[in-house]
Amino acid sequence: MIEAQFPWLTAIVLLPLVASLLIPVLPDKEGKRVRWYALGVGIADFVLMCYAFWKHYDPSSATFQLAEKYAWVPQLGINWAVSVDGISVPLVLLAGLVTTLAILAAWQVDRKPRLFYFLMLLLYSAQIGVFVAQDLILLFIMWEVELVPVYLLISIWGGPKRRYAATKFILYTALASIFILVAALAMGLYGGGNLTFDMAELATRNYPLVLELLLYAGLLIAFGVKLAIFPMHTWLPDAHGEASAPVSMILAGVLLKMGGYGLIRLNMEMLNDAHVYFAPVLAIIGVVNIVYGALTSFGQTNMKRRLAYSSVSHMGFVLLGIASYTDLGVSGAMLQMISHGLIAAVLFFLAGVTYDRTHTLALDQMGGIGQAMPKVFALFTAGAMASLALPGMSGFASELSVFMGVTTGDIYSSSFRTVTVFLAAVGVILTPIYLLSMLRQIFFNSGAAPTCNLGNETVKASGDQEAVCFGTSCVLPANAHFRDASPREIFIAASFLVLIIGIGFYPKLATKLYDVKTVAVNAEVRQSYTQIAQGNRQIYAQGFLSSPQIVETEIATVAGIVK
C-alpha cells in the first residue's frame, strides 16, 4: 500500500537534480570521486524508473498512470502534475539509459569536472521532466531548463567553433519554445472558465478551428526545431560538429525525441481536428527530410556532421508515421524514435572514440586504421549497419513499419502514397552509400598518398614488417597511438547494440510498451477525420490527395475503439 502511494515519478525527476546540488561540496580535488558519484546517481535513477514501471505500469491500458498532482502556484492554475502512458514510458527509459551511458562515456573529462557532471545531472532531470509533465507550464519550464546545460556543455567543452554552435542552438530552440508558452496560455485561458494547464482537461475542450490551426502551427514550429525538420534544422549539424561525444549522444539520442514526443502528445493527441489539416504537410516535410538529409549527409567531409545530417534524414520517418493515419505507421514513428535514439547514441559515441585516437573529424584526413583498431572498426560497422536498416536491427523494423503504415493507409490517394513511398525509398537507398563510404574513409585506405617515406631499412631495423597509416601520415606499429577500444568503451557500445539487435529480432520488446496507447491516439485522429470529411468531402485536393468514401459505420467503429 505504501509502495503504491510512493511518488515514483517525482522521485525519478528530482533525484538527479537534488544530487547535482551536492557536487560542489564533495571532497574531491582531481574529479575522480565526482565522476563516480554522477555515474552512481545516473544508475540509481535508471534502476528506479525500471523498477517503478515494471511494478506499477500496465502497458495494456491507454490511460495515464502513476499520476501525481500537487498544487504549485494555485493562483495561476499551475500544478506539479506528472504521469506516464505508452508514449512517455519508452522515452523516459531511453533518456535514462542514454544519459547514464553518456556520463560513463565522459570518464576522461578533466576540465572543470564538477561543473560538467553537475550540468549532466541537471540535464538528466530536465529530460525526464519533459516526458512526464502533465501540466503545460511545467512542460515548458522543463523544456527551458534543459536548454541551459546543453548550451554550457557545448560552449565550454566543445570544439573550436563551440561558442558559435552553442549560441545558434540556444537561439533556435529558445525562440521556438516561446510558441509552447503562447499555446499553453491560449489553451489555458480559452473559454473564460476555470484557469488550468492540465493536459487531460485541455484535451477535452472544443476550440474554434481557426484557433486550433494556429495552436498547431505554433507547436509545429516549436517541436519541429527540436526534431530538426527542414528548414529549421541548421542548428543541429553545427551543434553536433562542435559538441563533445557525450553531449552529442544526448543531443541525438534524447533531445531530438522531445520534438517527436511533443508532436504526438500535443499536436496529434490534443489538437485532433487541426492534425487532419496538417497531416499531409507533415508527410511532405517528412519526405523532404529523408531525401534532403541523405543527400546533404553524403556531401559532408566532417564525420560528425555527416552523422548529424543522417539524423535529419531519419527523423523524416517519424513525421511520415505521425501523418499516416494508420496504427502501424504511428507505432513505427514511436519505434523509429526509440531505435534512432539507440543507434545515433552509439554512432556519436564511437565517433568520439575515433576522434580521441586521431584528433580529427575530417574524413579526407583519415584512412587505414582498421587493422590498428579492429574492435572499434567492428563496433562502428555494427552501428552503421543498424543505421542503414539492415534486417535484424531495430532500424529495419521501425522503417518497415512506417513504410507499411503509409502504403496500407486508406486516407490518402494511391498516387500520393506511391510518390511518398518512392521518395522515401530513395532516401533509404542513399543511406548505405554515405555510411559505407564513411567507414571506408575512416578505417581503410583513403586514397591519399603518404607524405612520409618508411624505407625498408627503417622497417627492418624496427623489427616490424608493416606500418600503421593514418591519412597522409605513417608511423611504425610500435610508435602508433591508435589503441583499440578499452573495456569501458566496449561495454558502452555493446549496451546499445544488444538492445538494437534485440529489438530488431523481437520488436515487441519495445512496441508492447506503447501499442495500446498509439492505437487509441490514432483512433481519435481518424474519428476527427471522419467527422470533418462528412461535412467536407473535398478536405484534401482531388487527384494527388483525395478523401475516401465515408460510411456511417466507420464512425461507430472508431468511436468504439476510442472508448
Side-chain angles (χ1 to χ4, degrees), residues 245 303-304 307 346-356 361 380:
M303 176 170 52
K304 293 181 70 175
L307 293 176
V346 71
L347 285 176
F348 277 107
F349 167 69
L350 292 171
V353 171
T354 305
Y355 177 79
D356 287 341
L361 294 172
F380 218 135

Side-chain angles (χ1 to χ4, degrees), residues 23-41:
I23 287 180
V25 299
L26 286 179
D28 188 13
K29 293 183 178 180
E30 299 179 355
K32 294 182 179 180
R33 292 182 182 177
V34 171
R35 67 188 185 189
W36 278 108
Y37 174 78
L39 179 62
V41 172

